[in-house]
Amino acid sequence: MPSAKTQPARGMRDFLPEDVRKREYVISVIKEVYERYGFEPLETPAAENIETLMGKYGEEGNQLMFKILKRGVHEGTGEADLALRYDLTVPLARVVAEYRDKLPKFFKRYQIQPVWRADRPARGRYREFYQCDVDVLGSRSMIVEAEIISASSEALGKLGFSDFVVRLNHRKVLTGILDAAGIAQEKHVTALIALDKLDKIGADGVLREFEAREVVAAEAGKELLALFEPSGDNEEILARLERFIGSHVIGLEGLADLREIISYLPSSVVRIDPSLARGLTYYTGAIMEIQVEDLAGSMGGGGRYDNLIGMFLGRDIPACGFSLGLERIILVMSERNMFPVNLLRSPADVMMAVWRDAVEDALSVAAELRRQGLRVDVYPERDVKLGNQISYASKRSIPFVAFIGEEERGKGLVVLKNLKTGEQEILDRGEVAHVVLREVRRVE
Amino acid sequence: MPSAKTQPARGMRDFLPEDVRKREYVISVIKEVYERYGFEPLETPAAENIETLMGKYGEEGNQLMFKILKRGVHEGTGEADLALRYDLTVPLARVVAEYRDKLPKFFKRYQIQPVWRADRPARGRYREFYQCDVDVLGSRSMIVEAEIISASSEALGKLGFSDFVVRLNHRKVLTGILDAAGIAQEKHVTALIALDKLDKIGADGVLREFEAREVVAAEAGKELLALFEPSGDNEEILARLERFIGSHVIGLEGLADLREIISYLPSSVVRIDPSLARGLTYYTGAIMEIQVEDLAGSMGGGGRYDNLIGMFLGRDIPACGFSLGLERIILVMSERNMFPVNLLRSPADVMMAVWRDAVEDALSVAAELRRQGLRVDVYPERDVKLGNQISYASKRSIPFVAFIGEEERGKGLVVLKNLKTGEQEILDRGEVAHVVLREVRRVE
């Protein structure tokens, strides 16, 4: 009986064969695209020394981290000396410090591994989930932002998404806007938190929050919000922002970065969106997020963070990265039926039925078919009626059953039954692979 | 400065790009072979509820298990409610109980995931390492043993191993032998422990242990050891064993199984080896191990264990499995230089150099080359002398650099420099991919 005893741990998941195939498909497409952009794979251990992680994710992170008991006699004390990986960025910072003589000046890595957080599980939120990060370290050039946006968009495109939007903004532009709106420095964070909810609570809601938290006068608030109305193309939006910011030096730097980034990209790829805030600390330059209509939240996001990766090295290393939301991508692709048909196929192309004294012959035919690239299951028991063996294959959606009957033995002949049509033909052993492959490929 | 602070946790490893490529290569070959045998992938969470794992691996297992502190207010008590996966067999048993209505009657799964053990680290022994298991559940047929031996041997063959031996024995045959040698039931375990050391301490050493532990009289011990001398082919060995065992019913069952297994396999694949013991509990039937000359210990091993997988289900489920030693396979392949040359290749096929006002052109050429399947790095900074950009590519062993010089701009031309020969040619944009691909494929 299934029971709490046999369920996976809370918030974690078992992946049965079809789930694994879906996940591996998505990961392989993403990897293939990142590799073509010159990114290289990195893997780090599931557990880190606890002092490597503690304090790096704020108070919430400290609490949500899975901590591992020190082994041996110390176990009784409850002391933890390891913790499970909480994200892929802190391990990257550690790797950069540890192997800096081995790594290239511009380290372009991707890393697709699980992380663990003791969050309250909810729909689409798990305690074990994959992150899928690309980062370029070592350069402040906007070519990096452009390449990262290209690569991540292309990965989604290859997965079959054609309706996504890359929203692009810049932390310095946000600073310029808030300064120009007359919002005091110490109210910037509060203002951005309110602005971040624009999608959900609308302009009026944001204005009410501005008032409640004394962020800015009503009139100036309205002017500010007008800036975020999604009208015009990128050039028009940039021009509007420039007029608003005026001579704000930092803000103009941000605008120049944005202009440079979009100059490097085909015009349809990104949409400048001044309302994009993406968290409040951490990012220092461009920020971006990819969205589709039917998913609340983003399919992925990232940006420039020049002051973080050097944390273990004692000097700044400029960095820009992007994280694709693997679990969300899989969720949307499942809902939209975007997985290729042949992924959801049966576990084998053909099942070899076996019969008492002909087991050796059956196994040798199976070996031949496998050599020709077919996925061949062999029915494991030799005293079961052929009809039952065929039912088993049929239940498992295996499209063909092959067997050697009394008539065929010693003649180099094999019976091949197509379970979809019910047709059955007697073939030379050498022909079987050809017939099965033709059908299997036709379906794919 | 690298320091204890930036090293991975004790006994765990970071995998830099070349390491990841090697590991992924080995895993992909193994998976491909197992898929052709009709095995399906399964993945389970890194952490399990602690009661799922505790007590399943003996006292040693309880101690070597990494235990995770309960979160929240309970953290202070030192109570653990989760533990890291210790092997892939107990999670399989849990999965079989939890999803038994969804799984086929004969569940053939492979699972390639890390496990964690707080063992004392040593050369080749890690606290985080991969296991690579195949198991067939639900059948007592020897066809299963034959298929598992075939698949595992073929995986090693595809990786380039041609000098391995599959040793095959049977727990029931061992029982028959020990009974026939007049060794009391309660001394069987002691006898097997001594026999297991035959490779290391020789026949004389084993006899001394027999004497010291009063296992069997000296004369009978000598007769027993003669049985283990590696002489004759499988048929001769089986005949010798049969003579020794006489009418011992259990032993004869084991011999019949062995005869059936080898009848299903090409004659050169396995060697019956009565001295193979493979641990003492757990296995109930055939046992096997794959070895190569230059590795102490095995490349993998397995066998039949009919009384374990049903542990959460409350009824026996017959099972036979094999585990390839991924870390050992990688070790031997590295020492023997068995990895394909193109795995150790550079991170890109070509690097696109960039120059001030020609960045957009350079990025568009990069996009074209990527569309044609090349892995293209783009130098990220546009104010760096071309010579320095080329040095960077050269240092990273990227075979080609492409760039658009003053002369070529606006003419649809690209300069392609072969860094191995130093030759440089001016090509139409459309020709570049062709030239690079020709060279890259030649090398592979």
Side-chain angles (χ1 to χ4, degrees), chain B residues 50-313:
Chain B
I50 199 162
E51 56 273 23
T52 303
L53 303 187
M54 286 296 276
K56 304 301 192 302
Y57 306 100
E59 195 39 51
E60 189 187 56
N62 289 349
Q63 271 167 31
L64 298 185
M65 207 175 280
F66 284 103
K67 303 172 190 79
I68 297 172
L69 273 175
K70 203 164 166 176
R71 272 75 46 212
V73 291
H74 303 281
E75 215 162 271
T77 67
E79 191 189 340
D81 60 349
L82 300 172
L84 290 183
R85 186 168 50 213
Y86 192 81
D87 75 353
L88 303 177
T89 306
V90 172
L92 174 62
R94 182 181 60 66
V95 161
V96 165
E98 179 71 14
Y99 310 99
R100 69 190 183 294
D101 300 332
K102 282 188 174 181
L103 300 179
K105 182 174 173 198
F106 307 111
F107 185 37
K108 296 170 65 173
R109 82 91 174 80
Y110 66 89
Q111 186 169 0
I112 305 175
Q113 288 196 287
V115 300
W116 294 268
R117 295 182 187 179
D119 235 325
R120 187 172 295 275
R123 183 178 137 78
R125 190 167 63 210
Y126 306 103
R127 291 182 157 193
E128 174 180 70
F129 60 96
Y130 270 64
Q131 286 193 338
C132 180
D133 283 15
V134 267
D135 292 270
V136 179
L137 311 185
S139 172
R140 295 180 198 276
S141 160
M142 291 304 117
I143 294 175
V144 168
E145 272 79 347
E147 286 273 281
I148 280 179
I149 291 171
S150 270
S152 306
S153 311
E154 192 171 325
L156 288 176
K158 286 262 163 185
L159 287 169
F161 288 95
S162 56
D163 59 337
F164 59 87
V165 173
V166 183
R167 299 163 67 202
L168 176 67
N169 199 12
H170 200 292
R171 298 302 311 274
K172 291 182 177 175
V173 172
L174 281 170
T175 301
I177 292 172
L178 299 182
D179 281 348
I183 297 173
Q185 206 83 49
E186 67 271 19
K187 294 280 184 183
H188 278 198
V189 169
T190 315
L192 288 174
I193 292 174
L195 276 174
D196 217 21
K197 300 184 200 157
L198 186 59
D199 274 0
K200 287 183 208 144
I201 61 178
D204 288 346
V206 175
L207 284 174
R208 273 192 300 275
E209 284 218 14
F210 280 178
E211 210 185 324
R213 297 175 195 281
E214 299 180 343
V215 167
V216 68
E219 207 42 47
K222 269 183 202 161
E223 245 179 77
L224 175 62
L225 280 163
L227 203 59
F228 297 146
E229 271 164 27
S231 72
D233 61 16
N234 286 336
E235 277 311 319
E236 286 161 4
I237 296 170
L238 286 168
R240 206 158 69 218
L241 291 172
E242 198 160 355
R243 281 195 302 275
F244 190 87
I245 286 176
S247 61
H248 190 283
V249 177
I250 301 276
L252 290 176
E253 277 176 25
L255 285 176
D257 281 354
L258 291 180
R259 281 191 202 283
E260 189 178 345
I261 295 168
I262 61 175
S263 79
Y264 296 152
L265 291 167
S267 59
S268 60
V269 171
V270 295
R271 202 183 71 207
I272 304 276
D273 183 344
S275 75
L276 177 69
R278 256 198 96 60
L280 299 168
T281 51
Y282 191 104
Y283 291 111
T284 57
I287 47 181
M288 47 253 187
E289 212 167 271
I290 299 187
Q291 284 183 326
V292 289
E293 282 288 337
D294 51 342
L295 182 79
S298 72
M299 304 277 281
R304 176 164 287 279
Y305 56 109
D306 284 343
N307 308 324
L308 190 69
I309 285 294
M311 64 172 94
F312 296 107
L313 205 52

Side-chain angles (χ1 to χ4, degrees), chain A residues 171-242:
Chain A
R171 298 303 310 273
K172 290 182 177 174
V173 172
L174 282 170
T175 302
I177 291 171
L178 298 181
D179 281 347
I183 298 172
Q185 206 82 52
E186 68 272 16
K187 295 279 184 184
H188 278 197
V189 169
T190 315
L192 288 175
I193 291 174
L195 275 174
D196 217 21
K197 301 184 201 159
L198 186 59
D199 274 0
K200 286 182 210 147
I201 61 177
D204 289 344
V206 174
L207 283 173
R208 273 193 300 274
E209 283 219 15
F210 280 178
E211 210 185 325
R213 298 174 196 282
E214 299 180 345
V215 168
V216 68
E219 206 43 48
K222 271 183 197 159
E223 245 179 76
L224 176 61
L225 280 164
L227 204 59
F228 297 145
E229 273 163 26
S231 71
D233 61 17
N234 286 336
E235 277 312 318
E236 287 161 5
I237 296 170
L238 286 169
R240 206 159 70 216
L241 290 172
E242 198 160 357

